[in-house]
Amino acid sequence: MADKVVLYGYFRSSASWRVRIALALKDIKYEYKAVHLLKNGGEQHSEEYKKLNPMGQLPTLIIDGLTLTQSLAIMEYLEERNPTPALLPPDAAGRAQVRALSEVINSGIQPLQNLNVLQKIGDTKVEWANFYITKGFKALEAMLEKTAGQYCYGNQMTMADLCLIPQVYGAQRFGVDVKNYPVIMRVYEELIKLPAVIAGDAFRQPDTPEDLRAS
Amino acid sequence: MADKVVLYGYFRSSASWRVRIALALKDIKYEYKAVHLLKNGGEQHSEEYKKLNPMGQLPTLIIDGLTLTQSLAIMEYLEERNPTPALLPPDAAGRAQVRALSEVINSGIQPLQNLNVLQKIGDTKVEWANFYITKGFKALEAMLEKTAGQYCYGNQMTMADLCLIPQVYGAQRFGVDVKNYPVIMRVYEELIKLPAVIAGDAFRQPDTPEDLRAS
């Protein structure tokens, strides 16, 4: 465990953002290597990077001699490695609900607003992203009405909250009227006060462009 | 645990298919309720069904008094409830790899060949689905070259295999030349011999149309 931990990420990538917050919460120090999603046609497509991550996606985490990909799989690994503070509830029923909330975002929304998909959609990409985020947020709001306390699932921060944070940014970026989702936004406003969330924030990373940097 | 288990599914839905195999492997008996994805504009969009599954997706599993959604979250729950036979390796590193392989399919490929997305794409939907499955299969083949034994991860069947089976069907359906992926296909040919895989097969379900039924 003494090996250096390295995170390959991009400031605005949702999945990198989730993992940065998880690492901060669990107080795991890491070296951050920026992979620029747009420069040189997208550095994630380079042969060198695809040796680490064959999908050409972010993030990749090097830890304990392993090369880990897929943000939810990475968060599950971090949870098993550093169980405190927990990102999953102590009971199986709670874990199932948190994993379902996480997947609504991870597989239900995010893949459809992914950069490579929007590039393929072309001119109507904002309308496309707005449509799928709105569809997902309606479902998520209905689910959170049943599960949320201070956070997505009760009063303990979980993996679902780490998925929610960049997704709310995505919603705002693509013009979704977030006022229609009062539970999502109440939880979000709680979350963004937390030190680990601030540490993982897209607008405070080494690769955040100057003009987008949080003050 | 004596409560009746009910699976809301559709014969050809990838995510329903994964969960049917998991239930068969773990020898959990269930009542199957078919939700037709096309009839009446899609029964998954009904107000009644969306009370169970706000995303209007399949499957939903009623078990132990819980209403569970999202196939990966459901498989994790079944794994915790009925640990034998295991769907995850005994070590954290192995679990991380199996979860990553599962997510490459669950969030990296399947959402882009989902019925509701293809309906929105329209005329070019076969080309679209083919593009994203091909992209995903190239990555998956590279990952399996490192991890596969008899199955996706070594010689024990895992969650990743349950994701692979319907995805190979999807690839064939959308004209992907599966001969280009020898490791994927070698694992697939092993898998389809197994009794639990046959029990969960799309073409042997109560709602499989007569003309598509396996003989």
Side-chain angles (χ1 to χ4, degrees), chain A residues 91 101 141 187 190 195 211:
Chain A
D91 60 306
L101 290 166
E141 181 77 5
V187 169
E190 283 293 330
D211 57 326

Side-chain angles (χ1 to χ4, degrees), chain A residues 58-74:
Chain A
L58 294 171
T60 300
L61 185 70
I62 312 293
I63 189 167
D64 303 334
L66 303 168
T67 301
L68 303 185
T69 66
Q70 296 291 331
S71 64
L72 261 59
I74 292 172

Side-chain angles (χ1 to χ4, degrees), chain B residues 29-208:
Chain B
K29 306 289 173 231
Y30 60 94
E31 180 186 343
Y32 184 72
K33 291 198 181 175
V35 177
H36 201 294
L37 291 185
L38 297 168
K39 247 182 223 165
N40 308 319
E43 294 176 350
Q44 74 280 17
H45 303 307
S46 73
E47 283 310 305
E48 197 187 338
Y49 182 70
K50 285 177 96 171
K51 282 181 195 159
L52 299 175
N53 187 317
M55 279 293 268
Q57 290 178 332
L58 294 171
T60 300
L61 185 69
I62 312 293
I63 189 166
D64 303 333
L66 304 167
T67 301
L68 303 184
T69 66
Q70 295 292 330
S71 63
L72 262 58
I74 292 173
M75 288 193 281
E76 294 271 0
Y77 180 81
L78 295 178
E79 180 74 358
E80 295 184 5
R81 181 187 192 269
N82 296 53
T84 310
L87 282 175
L88 288 170
D91 60 305
R95 285 191 290 276
Q97 301 295 356
V98 166
R99 286 176 174 134
L101 290 167
S102 303
E103 287 290 3
V104 164
I105 298 171
N106 181 62
S107 70
I109 304 176
Q110 206 284 327
L112 295 160
Q113 64 154 62
N114 202 315
L115 176 67
N116 91 79
V117 171
L118 297 186
Q119 284 170 336
K120 202 165 162 71
I121 292 295
D123 290 345
T124 57
K125 69 183 182 185
V126 173
E127 184 193 335
W128 170 278
N130 189 304
F131 175 84
Y132 282 108
I133 299 170
T134 297
K135 184 172 179 294
F137 267 30
K138 283 182 185 168
L140 199 57
E141 182 77 5
M143 294 169 81
L144 292 183
E145 280 171 4
K146 294 183 184 174
T147 64
Q150 191 173 0
Y151 302 120
C152 284
Y153 187 82
N155 296 318
Q156 181 206 323
M157 195 179 175
T158 64
M159 216 175 262
D161 296 297
L162 275 52
C163 294
L164 187 72
I165 294 160
Q167 191 55 68
V168 168
Y169 167 72
Q172 291 170 326
R173 186 176 180 205
F174 293 109
V176 173
D177 189 354
V178 295
K179 288 196 308 295
N180 296 331
Y181 311 99
V183 187
I184 290 176
M185 292 312 291
R186 174 172 60 70
V187 169
Y188 176 75
E189 295 297 340
E190 283 292 330
L191 287 165
I192 58 174
K193 299 173 192 165
L194 302 173
V197 174
I198 294 169
D201 183 42
F203 302 98
R204 298 165 198 269
Q205 300 308 313
D207 62 333
T208 308

Side-chain angles (χ1 to χ4, degrees), chain A residues 8-26:
Chain A
Y8 290 83
Y10 180 62
F11 77 106
R12 193 151 54 185
S13 135
S14 308
S16 306
W17 193 335
R18 298 170 193 161
V19 172
R20 285 193 307 254
I21 303 172
L23 289 165
L25 265 175
K26 292 184 180 287

